[in-house]
Structure formats: C-alpha cells, structure tokens
Amino acid sequence: MSGERKPKEPAKQQAPVDHDLIRDLARLLEETGLTEIEFERAGQRVRVVRQGHMSAAPGHAVPVPAIATELRGGDAGPMDPAKHPGVVTSPMVGTAYLAPEPGARPFVEVGSHVGVGDTLLIVEAMKTMNQIPAPRAGTVIQILIEDGQPVEFGEPLMIIE
C-alpha cells in the first residue's frame, strides 16, 4: 500500500436519443402494418414495437385452424400439398404467424375468400415481419402450418383454390 491511486476509467458516453428516428420508425410501422422494426447505425440500436389491442382475455388460447384442414369432401386419397396448383409456399426461412399480433384474429381461415395481394400470413425473418400476399384469388382450402411454426424456403404454407 504505497498510497497510489488507480486512475478512474472514463465514464461511457451514451449517445443522445434520436427522437426523430423513433418517430420515423413508428410512422413506418403504421404505413406498412408491421408490428415491430429494429434499426442499427454506428453501434446504436433502436427497436420500435407497436403494442396491439388484445381481443382475447390474457391466458386464453386463440383458436388456430387445424393443420391440413380441408373444405373438400371425400377425395380418393391424400393430396400432396406441394403438387397442388394453388399451393402458397414460403419465400424465405423464418417463423410463420397466422395473425398480425398475439391474440388477434388470423388473417385468413379455411373457407376465407381472398383476392390477389391480400395478406395471408406473416413470416418473421431476421426480426423483420414480412407479409405474405395471396398470389391468386380464391378460397383458402388448407392451412398447412401452425401459428409460430418455423418454416423453410419453399415449404407449403396453404392452398388456395
């Protein structure tokens, strides 16, 4: 103990909060219908999440259409969804969500009539919510995934006839 003092480490400087950036990101959420967006620049990360209105009471499960539910009656055997002309496949690897936010009604259900470009579901990839549009007009006859399920590129998601 020689009475020496260690020099103090300099305090970390926090970058000022860019309120305009946050407002711009929030506006972008509204314009695109996304529920979450994250932006990083020069080591500073900003994440904006839109809180939705819960339509179901907390703790209640939201009914999700059963996997591979069909509208059509007795066919002569199981249909291979990947070979159906109305199959909608995942354009990316990610996590599929059937509703815009937890507790909300699904975008579509078996029996829903959709038009070209209508949102069918969302695939979250790299913290970005990607709306998957209907490639054709018709009726949703099968939903081949569950809400929150990981999906691969090219994986059949649903069938529209």
Side-chain angles (χ1 to χ4, degrees):
M1 302 227 180
S2 61
E4 290 181 37
R5 287 187 158 169
K6 287 187 179 181
K8 281 186 173 180
E9 290 185 30
K12 284 190 176 183
Q13 297 259 341
Q14 287 190 346
V17 175
D18 187 345
H19 296 283
D20 290 331
L21 174 62
I22 294 171
R23 284 186 193 94
D24 289 343
L25 292 174
R27 217 171 296 130
L28 185 60
L29 284 178
E30 286 298 318
E31 291 171 5
T32 60
L34 297 173
T35 56
E36 178 179 333
I37 192 166
E38 188 169 341
F39 179 80
E40 186 172 353
R41 176 178 54 199
Q44 185 178 26
R45 182 181 299 170
V46 177
R47 179 173 172 232
V48 179
V49 178
R50 179 172 24 151
Q51 297 296 323
H53 301 289
M54 297 291 287
S55 61
H60 289 83
V62 176
V64 176
I67 297 176
T69 304
E70 286 193 50
L71 277 183
R72 294 184 296 173
D75 282 338
M79 172 180 52
D80 180 3
K83 293 181 181 175
H84 192 284
V87 69
V88 177
T89 59
S90 180
M92 65 194 71
V93 174
T95 303
Y97 297 103
L98 298 173
E101 59 191 33
R105 287 187 52 127
F107 289 107
V108 296
E109 297 172 333
V110 172
S112 295
H113 296 283
V114 297
V116 174
D118 289 353
T119 301
L120 299 173
L121 63 134
I122 293 174
V123 175
E124 178 184 9
M126 298 177 62
K127 298 190 180 197
T128 301
M129 300 297 184
N130 302 282
Q131 295 181 3
I132 308 304
R136 61 189 284 179
T139 302
V140 176
I141 63 161
Q142 283 188 322
I143 297 176
L144 305 166
I145 54 147
E146 291 183 31
D147 191 49
Q149 175 181 327
V151 294
E152 297 292 327
F153 174 80
E155 180 176 339
L157 303 173
M158 58 181 65
I159 296 178
I160 301 172
E161 268 191 355

